[in-house]
Structures are given as C-alpha cells and as structure tokens.
Amino acid sequence: MITNIRSKTMFEVFEFALITIICLIPLLITLPYRINIFLSFEGAYRLYLGQIPFKDFGLPMGPVYWLLPATFFKLFGPSLKTLVITQVFINMLFLFGVRYLMKLFLFDSQQRIINLFIVIITFTFVNFWPWYNYSVFVFQFLGMLPVVYLLLTNQNTHAVWGKSICVSLAVLLNVLSFFTKQDAGGLGICLTFLLFAIYSINQRSYYLLLGYTAGVVVLIAGVVYIFIPYDFGYWFNYGQFPHSSRLSPVKAMAVLFGESTAHKAYLSIILGLNIYLYVDNRKRLFSLRHIIITIIGVFFVMESVIIEVTSPLPEENHIYHHGFFWIYMTYFFQDKIRVKNFFALCGVLTLVFMVMSAPYWGYINRLVGYSQPKEKTAQIKYATSQWISSPKTSAFSGVTMPTNTLEGIEKLKDLPIWTDSVKVLNMTELTPLAKEMNYTPMTDQPLWYHERVGIFERGVSRLKNNIDDQLYDIVLFQEIQGLENFYPERLREELKSKYCLVETFEAPRQKSEGDSFIEVYLSRKNYHNIYKDACSSEYKADEKIVSLSR
C-alpha cells in the first residue's frame, strides 16, 4: 500500500516536472529573431503605453492577444525576452489544462505523462514565441473545461454558486478567445455551446445553456458597444469590405481530402472505433463520457483543418490535432494501456520521442541554422551577415540577429533626431526600436502595415498624404523580395521622391525567408539640418547592404 502511494506520488511529481522544465527551456537559450514577432511587440508596447485599440491604432481583430504580453511588459519591462516569458506562462496554463482534462477522464499518472509528452513534442515545444493563433486556441480550450467538469463529475455535488462560476468562466474565456482571433474564437464558442446543450439534455434543465448563451451575447455586444465610436465596424474583420472572408468550405475540404494524411487518418480511426462500438458495445458508445471525448477529439482535428485555411501561418500554431487524437485513443484503450513502473514509462517516452520527431526536429533545425531555402524563395542578392546575440540591456534582448542589423540599429541611434516629439513611421519588423529609441508610436495609424491584411486603401492613401506633407521626421521601410506588397510598395516609391535615403541595412530574416533589407529615410528638413545640403532623389535599387550614412 505504501509502495503504491509512493509510486503514485513519484509519477505525479514527474508530471509537474515535465511541464515545468519543458516550458522553461526557452528561457535558457537564445532564440533567433523570428518573423512576425514584431507584431506581438508592437501591440503589447502600445497597450503598455496606455494607447487604446481602435481609437489610437487599428487592427482587424480583437486586442485580447496583446493583454498578457502588455501585462508582462509592466512586470519585466518591454523586450523580446519578456515575450518569451509570456509564452512560458501561456504554455504552462495550457499544459496544466490538458492535465486537468485527462484527470476528468480518469487517466492515471502514467497515461497523463505519455499524452502530455505527445502534446509537448508535437505542439507546445515548437511554440516558444507568443502568437495570436496559439493564444486563441489556449483560451478556447480553457473555456471548454468548466462545462466538461460539470458533465463528468457528480452532479449532486454541484452547488448553485459552483455552477454559476463554471458558466461565468466559460463565458469569459470564450469571449476572450473571440476577441483574440474571431475564427477560432467563434468555433470555441460553438464547441462550448454544444457541450452545454448536452449537459442541459442530460440534466433536463436549460438554465446553464441559456445563461451561457446570454452571457456570451451580452459580453460581446458590450465590447462592441465600447469600441463602436472608434471605427470598430471598419477595422474588425467579419468579412466586410475592405476585408475578405478567409472561411472557405471548399478550401477546407481541399486541405482535408487533398493534403492532410494525418487528419484523414485520425478521423477515419475515430469513425472506425465508433462503428465497432455500435456493433459490439452500444452502451459504451452512448455513454456520456464517450460522447464528450469523441466530440472533443473530432472537433480539434477538424478545427485544425479549418484554421489551416483561415490562419495558415505559422503552421505550428494549429498542429494540436496530434495530441488530442492520442488522448482520444488513450481513453478508448484506457484499460489496456498500463505502464506499471518508471523504466517502462521511460521506454514508452523514448519511443514517442523517436516516432514523432518531425515537428520538434524541424524547429531545432531552424534554431541551429540547418534549414535550407525553399524552392520558390527569391534569389538572394544582398549580403547576409553572421547572427549574434543582441545586447542584454536592449529591447532586442534574448535573441540573435544579423551583425549588420545590429550595426544598422547602432547607426540609427547616432542620428541626432531622437527627441520626445520625434515622429516616426516604422514599416519594418524592428518594432522594438520604439523602446530602444524611446519614441512613442504615432496614433491614428494601423497596428501593422501588411497591405490588405493590416492596412487598406484608405490607410495607404492617408500615409501617402502624410509623406507628401513631410509629416514624419524619419521613415523606416522594409523591402521583402519575394513577398509582393507585404509593405505597400506605393509608399516606398513615394519615399524615394519625397524623402532622403540615408541608410540601408540587412533585415533580421533567415536566408530561407528570402532577401530583405531596411531603408532609412529622413525628411528633407532633417536631412538638411544634419548634413547641411540637399539630398539627391536618385535611388540605386541594387546598392549593396553597407552603410550609406555620410
């Protein structure tokens, strides 16, 4: 008896250690600067400064994703390292949530460890950086847990106040999910609604379902009401002009049947096992516990297909279907999967580690620089320098960047324009420059400048007029060859004729991500004040990445 208790305690300690150690790994290594991380910093930094979404900056989704990074900026200071700390916290929340889900389905410690390890190496481990497509999934998953708790625990022990807390948590987390990213957030609301409907049918009481539905509607309406005066209807993407709807059933079917072998295999296996139960054990098939785990398994496999269409990048944010399929399989064969000792458990984990190597090994390759350029990558004309660690005291701390990029940042610091009132238009992936140079990002602008995603014709025209009027003291523009109009090319052409190019340096992108460089433009007034002459409007497109400052 004592031996069994000690063994159980040892495995539970191992669970907590596994989650904690894996989540903390990113804090122990220096990660390469990642594309798109600029957007995480920009939104969090604006909230950190007290700017209001939609009023001070526009964005095509809700602002919830940036709330946690902004909070951590308050605690640890604005830097890229703080973004990694934020993701450590999010990963821990998610993994402990997965552990709790498995406890509700009565998995023993060994079964939980095996499935946690699968979830970690196929999903969590490759998500070191925060991103809204990951955060929205975590919110919707956590929002599902309260109703699963109500469904799978003793109904007689649920007090009215306990049920109210569960409904309130489900409403809050699902609305947070919706205002993180509307595609996955909307799906999460539907999943939780379905589970509450099953609870209502099972209990012959519809109060919790009505409470959940009313809570979601009222809370969403309240948030919309707050932001309506700030042009919310223009910015928030629900498929209206100038946005475009990314939800396409035809594309989703094409992904499912034409591309994804894993999704088809998982759904086919789940269907086959349920057909077997229909023939052999209908009582188990229609048991509440089996219905819930089947809904969860099928939903997350299908959702990953849909999100692959609506939010395809980065792909590691929607590969959670592996973990939840194996959670379903473990439940189905729960009585047959028994790992009795620690050495057997280590053997199983080693096998899992070898069999499911593709997701984490591809990420390790990128970390150590072994990834090869993709076939359709644009030909690289510009020099690429060695990647080194950025200064620990800078806003770029915690990452490696090209030497030429860091040198370019230092040259930027030397420009005698950095005052409290400097007006900066930063159309690059170096958004931490706002903290580094201690300037305030300008308001009444989009959060980011990806044409037809974050900025549209109205915004491009407004920026063009501002450039014509010499509104900005300095403009940074990033050219990404191979990505047409990622940053509006029309604005670059306008800058060539109206502003003065003083510096060009390498952008922090890997070779496999294409040729990219950053151009520094000064207003004609600032150029004259610094260099005491008029600048030439001539521009040489094939200039090498070297210092152009005088």
Side-chain angles (χ1 to χ4, degrees):
M1 179 68 176
I2 294 177
T3 302
N4 289 337
I5 293 175
R6 287 179 177 175
S7 177
K8 181 179 179 181
T9 302
M10 179 187 70
F11 283 121
E12 289 185 345
V13 169
F14 188 84
E15 283 183 79
F16 281 85
L18 177 66
I19 292 173
T20 304
I21 292 172
I22 291 294
C23 287
L24 290 177
I25 285 177
L27 300 180
L28 306 177
I29 60 178
T30 302
L31 301 168
Y33 194 92
R34 176 176 178 149
I35 59 171
N36 294 331
I37 201 62
F38 73 94
L39 181 54
S40 298
F41 187 96
E42 178 77 357
Y45 190 61
R46 284 178 177 269
L47 294 181
Y48 166 83
L49 294 175
Q51 294 187 9
I52 300 174
F54 304 109
K55 179 184 178 182
D56 294 321
F57 58 92
L59 65 166
M61 62 191 74
V64 170
Y65 162 64
W66 289 275
L67 292 178
L68 269 178
T71 302
F72 276 75
F73 278 7
K74 291 288 187 181
L75 295 174
F76 302 102
S79 71
L80 295 179
K81 188 70 172 182
T82 303
L83 291 181
V84 179
I85 296 173
T86 305
Q87 186 63 15
V88 167
F89 176 75
I90 294 172
N91 283 341
M92 283 188 173
L93 275 181
F94 172 64
L95 290 174
F96 279 112
V98 172
R99 179 182 182 273
Y100 182 70
L101 176 71
M102 291 188 286
K103 285 179 70 72
L104 290 175
F105 282 99
L106 306 179
F107 286 21
D108 62 34
S109 292
Q110 297 91 313
Q111 292 168 341
R112 294 197 299 268
I113 289 170
I114 293 170
N115 282 280
L116 279 170
F117 191 66
I118 292 173
V119 171
I120 286 169
I121 66 173
T122 61
F123 183 51
T124 310
F125 183 76
V126 297
N127 283 285
F128 285 167
W129 290 105
W131 191 242
Y132 47 73
N133 290 331
Y134 185 93
S135 295
V136 65
F137 174 73
V138 173
F139 281 132
Q140 70 160 217
F141 171 76
L142 295 177
M144 170 197 76
L145 289 182
V147 64
V148 176
Y149 164 79
L150 291 174
L151 282 162
L152 299 184
T153 53
N154 189 346
Q155 306 296 331
N156 297 324
T157 63
H158 299 157
V160 174
W161 64 268
K163 294 178 182 179
S164 300
I165 291 175
C166 287
V167 173
S168 300
L169 283 174
V171 169
L172 177 62
L173 289 166
N174 277 284
V175 172
L176 288 175
S177 176
F178 180 75
F179 285 110
T180 299
K181 193 74 167 27
Q182 46 269 54
D183 50 1
L187 291 172
I189 289 173
C190 294
L191 171 63
T192 304
F193 178 89
L194 176 60
L195 294 175
F196 268 117
I198 293 172
Y199 177 87
S200 298
I201 294 170
N202 187 57
Q203 295 298 305
R204 294 185 174 87
S205 173
Y206 293 89
Y207 292 112
L208 298 191
L209 177 62
L210 292 174
Y212 169 75
T213 305
V216 168
V217 171
V218 169
L219 195 53
I220 288 179
V223 172
V224 172
Y225 178 79
I226 291 172
F227 289 117
I228 277 291
Y230 306 137
D231 219 3
F232 178 86
Y234 170 83
W235 282 110
F236 191 80
N237 182 4
Y238 52 91
Q240 84 284 17
F241 180 83
H243 304 269
S244 59
S245 175
R246 297 184 180 184
L247 185 60
S248 170
V250 174
K251 289 183 180 179
M253 298 298 286
V255 170
L256 177 61
F257 292 105
E259 300 177 18
S260 180
T261 302
H263 292 93
K264 285 185 291 187
Y266 293 163
L267 292 173
S268 298
I269 291 171
I270 293 174
L271 176 62
L273 291 175
N274 280 275
I275 292 173
Y276 166 77
L277 286 183
Y278 182 81
V279 174
D280 188 67
N281 191 348
R282 294 188 186 181
K283 182 178 179 180
R284 183 184 178 189
L285 176 67
F286 295 109
S287 67
L288 184 61
R289 196 171 295 273
H290 181 80
I291 290 173
I292 300 307
I293 193 65
T294 302
I295 288 174
I296 292 173
V298 171
F299 177 86
F300 286 132
V301 172
M302 284 302 303
E303 184 188 41
S304 66
V305 174
I306 296 171
I307 300 304
E308 190 170 338
V309 173
T310 61
S311 302
L313 296 175
E315 62 182 24
E316 55 262 28
N317 284 172
H318 56 261
I319 54 175
Y320 41 78
H321 55 290
H322 301 296
F324 285 95
F325 169 74
W326 287 106
I327 288 174
Y328 175 86
M329 293 297 289
T330 302
Y331 165 80
F332 195 91
F333 297 103
Q334 195 167 4
D335 295 334
K336 297 178 175 60
I337 300 176
R338 297 294 179 188
V339 181
K340 296 182 178 180
N341 59 67
F342 185 76
F343 294 104
L345 177 63
C346 290
V348 173
L349 295 182
T350 301
L351 180 63
V352 170
F353 187 78
M354 297 298 294
V355 171
M356 297 187 170
S357 61
Y360 69 82
W361 188 251
Y363 196 80
I364 290 174
N365 270 342
R366 292 198 296 276
L367 285 179
V368 298
Y370 290 140
S371 58
Q372 296 297 321
K374 297 179 181 179
E375 292 182 3
K376 294 185 179 181
T377 299
Q379 182 180 1
I380 297 175
K381 300 178 183 178
Y382 289 81
T384 54
S385 55
Q386 181 182 4
W387 286 58
I388 61 174
S389 296
S390 56
K392 293 182 179 180
T393 57
S394 76
F396 295 94
S397 65
V399 300
T400 60
M401 299 173 70
T403 304
N404 190 271
T405 305
L406 293 172
E407 291 173 351
I409 293 173
E410 290 302 314
K411 290 186 174 69
L412 277 177
K413 290 181 180 180
D414 292 338
L415 292 173
I417 63 169
W418 303 109
T419 64
D420 292 339
S421 59
V422 65
K423 295 180 179 179
V424 182
L425 176 60
N426 186 357
M427 291 184 285
T428 75
E429 294 176 310
L430 295 180
T431 54
L433 286 172
K435 176 63 172 64
E436 193 74 2
M437 308 302 186
N438 199 30
Y439 70 82
T440 300
M442 296 184 66
T443 58
D444 196 26
Q445 295 194 161
L447 182 60
W448 77 102
Y449 302 92
H450 186 176
E451 191 164 17
R452 295 187 296 274
V453 176
I455 187 172
F456 306 94
E457 184 60 37
R458 187 181 81 177
V460 173
S461 297
R462 181 178 297 174
L463 293 182
K464 180 179 179 297
N465 292 335
N466 290 344
I467 292 171
D468 289 345
D469 295 337
Q470 299 280 299
L471 175 66
Y472 307 108
D473 296 305
I474 182 171
V475 179
L476 309 177
F477 189 95
Q478 183 170 340
E479 176 72 2
I480 307 174
Q481 297 187 354
L483 291 180
E484 184 178 356
N485 283 328
F486 185 91
Y487 294 106
E489 192 66 25
R490 287 170 291 170
L491 297 181
R492 186 183 182 218
E493 294 301 319
E494 198 69 17
L495 287 167
K496 291 179 186 179
S497 61
K498 300 298 174 59
Y499 272 63
C500 306
L501 177 68
V502 297
E503 186 78 37
T504 304
F505 59 89
E506 184 180 350
R509 282 186 165 237
Q510 303 281 357
K511 291 181 180 180
S512 58
E513 296 161 355
D515 190 11
S516 184
F517 54 93
I518 293 169
E519 298 169 337
V520 182
Y521 293 89
L522 288 178
S523 67
R524 293 187 180 276
K525 177 181 177 181
N526 278 300
Y527 185 91
H528 177 74
N529 290 340
I530 295 172
Y531 301 112
K532 309 305 180 185
D533 63 1
C535 68
S536 171
S537 61
E538 295 181 2
Y539 179 84
K540 298 180 180 179
D542 292 326
E543 192 74 53
K544 295 180 180 179
I545 293 185
V546 294
S547 172
L548 297 179
S549 59
R550 293 173 177 258

